[in-house]
Amino acid sequence: EPEVTQTPSHQVTQMGQEVILRCVPISNHLYFYWYRQILGQKVEFLVSFYNNEISEKSEIFDDQFSVERPDGSNFTLKIRSTKLEDSAMYFCASSLTLSSYEQYFGPGTRLTVT
Amino acid sequence: AQRVTQPEKLLSVFKGAPVELKCNYSYSGSPELFWYVQYSRQRLQLLLRHISRESIKGFTADLNKGETSFHLKKPFAQEEDSAMYYCSLGGSSNTGKLIFGQGTTLQVKP
């Protein structure tokens, strides 16, 4: 069964550094998402992406964040200058349609900013 | 504001006991509600959605618009039901955005 994959599983970085989190969505899916979960808190929506454009972004998704689908298979989340409060689990998800809200989640990347 | 509230962080029951995981929402309009589940060391996955009115793994959830609730129920809990359960709401913007509750850990004891 096809799955969403994410790399790396754990990333440690220093404050102020740039990080890129990578995701490979399910191949025939058209809609892509990033969520994050700070330890002990709820899963929060960051951004949705369709047809090479951001469809919606949350207040968390400020100018430090960007997303890209560089080659038709990968979907990346870049954080330009990481802060301590960016430490979280980042989940990528994809879906074939919007209407069902059935999103397939990746296993997550744990980002630790020191 | 769109919001999902799961008042219980942890629900612990014995095998065979009934389970009810509570979820309340705040939404203006016709909500679309879902339960997602995360078993130990597995990824988040859709369990059920209100619109299909289905029973999955013995779980059901009824949307009560008057009480703005979408509680998840199972008459007889099994040990393999132990997991983290997240109630979620489809956002109004038609972009696929999901709004999650805090999650409830269900622990089913033998």
Side-chain angles (χ1 to χ4, degrees), chain B residues 24-25 33 61-71:
Chain B
N24 289 91
Y25 66 90
L33 286 145
D62 289 319
L63 177 61
N64 185 325
K65 289 187 181 180
E67 294 183 1
T68 60
S69 68
F70 187 57
H71 303 327

Side-chain angles (χ1 to χ4, degrees), chain B residues 17 19 21 35-40 42-49 53-61 72-85 106 108:
Chain B
V19 167
L21 296 155
W35 279 96
Y36 273 78
V37 61
Q38 188 171 27
Y39 299 102
S40 178
Q42 293 188 29
R43 57 193 68 200
L44 205 56
Q45 57 188 286
L46 180 66
L47 178 63
L48 55 78
R49 68 201 83 176
R53 302 184 65 80
E54 56 203 342
S55 171
I56 303 288
K57 300 184 179 183
F59 284 98
T60 58
L72 183 68
K73 298 177 187 178
K74 184 168 182 176
F76 308 105
Q78 303 299 314
E79 287 179 70
E80 55 265 30
D81 296 329
S82 296
M84 178 72 109
Y85 290 81
L106 174 64
V108 182

